[in-house]
mmCIF file of all heavy atoms in Angstrom:
data_model
loop_
_atom_site.group_PDB
_atom_site.id
_atom_site.type_symbol
_atom_site.label_atom_id
_atom_site.label_comp_id
_atom_site.label_asym_id
_atom_site.label_seq_id
_atom_site.Cartn_x
_atom_site.Cartn_y
_atom_site.Cartn_z
ATOM 1 N N PHE P 548 104.412 88.204 93.266
ATOM 2 C CA PHE P 548 103.120 87.712 92.784
ATOM 3 C C PHE P 548 102.994 87.915 91.280
ATOM 4 O O PHE P 548 103.702 88.744 90.696
ATOM 5 C CB PHE P 548 101.966 88.422 93.505
ATOM 6 C CG PHE P 548 101.973 89.928 93.350
ATOM 7 C CD1 PHE P 548 101.308 90.547 92.300
ATOM 8 C CD2 PHE P 548 102.655 90.727 94.258
ATOM 9 C CE1 PHE P 548 101.316 91.924 92.153
ATOM 10 C CE2 PHE P 548 102.684 92.114 94.119
ATOM 11 C CZ PHE P 548 102.016 92.717 93.066
ATOM 12 N N ASP P 549 102.097 87.140 90.663
ATOM 13 C CA ASP P 549 101.653 87.461 89.303
ATOM 14 C C ASP P 549 100.163 87.751 89.406
ATOM 15 O O ASP P 549 99.664 88.045 90.500
ATOM 16 C CB ASP P 549 102.050 86.368 88.292
ATOM 17 C CG ASP P 549 101.320 85.046 88.516
ATOM 18 O OD1 ASP P 549 100.396 84.982 89.369
ATOM 19 O OD2 ASP P 549 101.668 84.068 87.836
ATOM 20 N N ASN P 550 99.438 87.636 88.320
ATOM 21 C CA ASN P 550 98.024 88.029 88.380
ATOM 22 C C ASN P 550 97.156 87.066 89.182
ATOM 23 O O ASN P 550 96.066 87.430 89.604
ATOM 24 C CB ASN P 550 97.454 88.164 86.971
ATOM 25 C CG ASN P 550 98.023 89.369 86.256
ATOM 26 O OD1 ASN P 550 98.581 90.260 86.897
ATOM 27 N ND2 ASN P 550 97.898 89.412 84.936
ATOM 28 N N LEU P 551 97.645 85.832 89.345
ATOM 29 C CA LEU P 551 96.825 84.856 90.064
ATOM 30 C C LEU P 551 97.498 84.277 91.293
ATOM 31 O O LEU P 551 96.831 83.814 92.206
ATOM 32 C CB LEU P 551 96.467 83.684 89.125
ATOM 33 C CG LEU P 551 95.463 83.970 88.021
ATOM 34 C CD1 LEU P 551 95.336 82.765 87.098
ATOM 35 C CD2 LEU P 551 94.093 84.316 88.598
ATOM 36 N N ARG P 552 98.813 84.268 91.268
ATOM 37 C CA ARG P 552 99.530 83.546 92.329
ATOM 38 C C ARG P 552 100.465 84.484 93.108
ATOM 39 O O ARG P 552 100.786 85.566 92.634
ATOM 40 C CB ARG P 552 100.359 82.423 91.710
ATOM 41 C CG ARG P 552 99.531 81.395 90.962
ATOM 42 C CD ARG P 552 100.417 80.495 90.111
ATOM 43 N NE ARG P 552 101.131 81.238 89.096
ATOM 44 C CZ ARG P 552 102.140 80.762 88.364
ATOM 45 N NH1 ARG P 552 102.549 79.535 88.558
ATOM 46 N NH2 ARG P 552 102.729 81.516 87.450
ATOM 47 N N SER P 553 100.915 84.002 94.241
ATOM 48 C CA SER P 553 101.876 84.766 95.025
ATOM 49 C C SER P 553 102.740 83.775 95.786
ATOM 50 O O SER P 553 102.333 82.626 95.998
ATOM 51 C CB SER P 553 101.144 85.693 95.994
ATOM 52 O OG SER P 553 100.109 84.996 96.653
ATOM 53 N N TYR P 554 103.914 84.210 96.183
ATOM 54 C CA TYR P 554 104.735 83.315 97.004
ATOM 55 C C TYR P 554 105.568 84.098 98.011
ATOM 56 O O TYR P 554 105.859 85.281 97.828
ATOM 57 C CB TYR P 554 105.620 82.413 96.135
ATOM 58 C CG TYR P 554 106.792 83.088 95.464
ATOM 59 C CD1 TYR P 554 108.043 83.144 96.089
ATOM 60 C CD2 TYR P 554 106.673 83.650 94.206
ATOM 61 C CE1 TYR P 554 109.128 83.735 95.470
ATOM 62 C CE2 TYR P 554 107.751 84.254 93.580
ATOM 63 C CZ TYR P 554 108.977 84.298 94.211
ATOM 64 O OH TYR P 554 110.039 84.889 93.597
ATOM 65 N N ALA P 555 105.929 83.362 99.062
ATOM 66 C CA ALA P 555 106.745 83.923 100.129
ATOM 67 C C ALA P 555 108.201 83.572 99.859
ATOM 68 O O ALA P 555 108.526 82.424 99.560
ATOM 69 C CB ALA P 555 106.299 83.323 101.459
ATOM 70 N N THR P 556 109.068 84.560 99.968
ATOM 71 C CA THR P 556 110.500 84.350 99.760
ATOM 72 C C THR P 556 111.122 83.744 101.032
ATOM 73 O O THR P 556 110.500 83.776 102.107
ATOM 74 C CB THR P 556 111.172 85.702 99.498
ATOM 75 O OG1 THR P 556 110.893 86.549 100.619
ATOM 76 C CG2 THR P 556 110.652 86.339 98.217
ATOM 77 N N PRO P 557 112.350 83.250 100.943
ATOM 78 C CA PRO P 557 113.040 82.824 102.171
ATOM 79 C C PRO P 557 113.088 83.958 103.196
ATOM 80 O O PRO P 557 112.962 83.726 104.408
ATOM 81 C CB PRO P 557 114.446 82.470 101.679
ATOM 82 C CG PRO P 557 114.260 82.091 100.240
ATOM 83 C CD PRO P 557 113.154 82.965 99.734
ATOM 84 N N ASN P 558 113.236 85.184 102.699
ATOM 85 C CA ASN P 558 113.285 86.355 103.594
ATOM 86 C C ASN P 558 111.972 86.501 104.349
ATOM 87 O O ASN P 558 111.947 86.901 105.513
ATOM 88 C CB ASN P 558 113.545 87.622 102.777
ATOM 89 C CG ASN P 558 114.607 87.399 101.720
ATOM 90 O OD1 ASN P 558 114.371 86.679 100.758
ATOM 91 N ND2 ASN P 558 115.774 87.974 101.899
ATOM 92 N N TYR P 559 110.865 86.191 103.678
ATOM 93 C CA TYR P 559 109.546 86.244 104.316
ATOM 94 C C TYR P 559 109.512 85.268 105.491
ATOM 95 O O TYR P 559 109.051 85.601 106.592
ATOM 96 C CB TYR P 559 108.469 85.889 103.282
ATOM 97 C CG TYR P 559 107.070 85.734 103.838
ATOM 98 C CD1 TYR P 559 106.156 86.777 103.778
ATOM 99 C CD2 TYR P 559 106.652 84.524 104.410
ATOM 100 C CE1 TYR P 559 104.859 86.625 104.281
ATOM 101 C CE2 TYR P 559 105.377 84.369 104.913
ATOM 102 C CZ TYR P 559 104.479 85.424 104.842
ATOM 103 O OH TYR P 559 103.202 85.266 105.340
ATOM 104 N N TYR P 560 110.000 84.051 105.255
ATOM 105 C CA TYR P 560 109.921 83.059 106.330
ATOM 106 C C TYR P 560 110.805 83.447 107.513
ATOM 107 O O TYR P 560 110.484 83.142 108.663
ATOM 108 C CB TYR P 560 110.268 81.669 105.791
ATOM 109 C CG TYR P 560 109.168 81.125 104.902
ATOM 110 C CD1 TYR P 560 109.388 80.838 103.570
ATOM 111 C CD2 TYR P 560 107.879 80.941 105.407
ATOM 112 C CE1 TYR P 560 108.375 80.358 102.753
ATOM 113 C CE2 TYR P 560 106.850 80.466 104.610
ATOM 114 C CZ TYR P 560 107.101 80.178 103.278
ATOM 115 O OH TYR P 560 106.077 79.728 102.486
ATOM 116 N N VAL P 561 111.920 84.112 107.224
ATOM 117 C CA VAL P 561 112.755 84.612 108.326
ATOM 118 C C VAL P 561 111.939 85.606 109.154
ATOM 119 O O VAL P 561 111.854 85.520 110.388
ATOM 120 C CB VAL P 561 114.053 85.263 107.782
ATOM 121 C CG1 VAL P 561 114.725 86.109 108.861
ATOM 122 C CG2 VAL P 561 115.012 84.187 107.275
ATOM 123 N N GLN P 562 111.305 86.555 108.469
ATOM 124 C CA GLN P 562 110.476 87.537 109.175
ATOM 125 C C GLN P 562 109.379 86.848 109.974
ATOM 126 O O GLN P 562 109.114 87.192 111.128
ATOM 127 C CB GLN P 562 109.808 88.493 108.165
ATOM 128 C CG GLN P 562 110.751 89.376 107.389
ATOM 129 C CD GLN P 562 111.383 90.457 108.243
ATOM 130 O OE1 GLN P 562 110.729 91.025 109.093
ATOM 131 N NE2 GLN P 562 112.658 90.714 108.030
ATOM 132 N N GLN P 563 108.760 85.885 109.338
ATOM 133 C CA GLN P 563 107.622 85.223 109.983
ATOM 134 C C GLN P 563 108.059 84.469 111.237
ATOM 135 O O GLN P 563 107.394 84.520 112.273
ATOM 136 C CB GLN P 563 106.947 84.267 108.993
ATOM 137 C CG GLN P 563 105.643 83.712 109.513
ATOM 138 C CD GLN P 563 105.047 82.698 108.573
ATOM 139 O OE1 GLN P 563 105.724 81.806 108.090
ATOM 140 N NE2 GLN P 563 103.760 82.830 108.301
#
Side-chain angles (χ1 to χ4, degrees):
F548 58 90
D549 67 7
N550 290 343
L551 288 174
R552 299 167 298 168
S553 46
Y554 73 91
T556 57
N558 317 69
Y559 173 97
Y560 288 118
V561 164
Q562 295 289 321
Q563 189 184 47

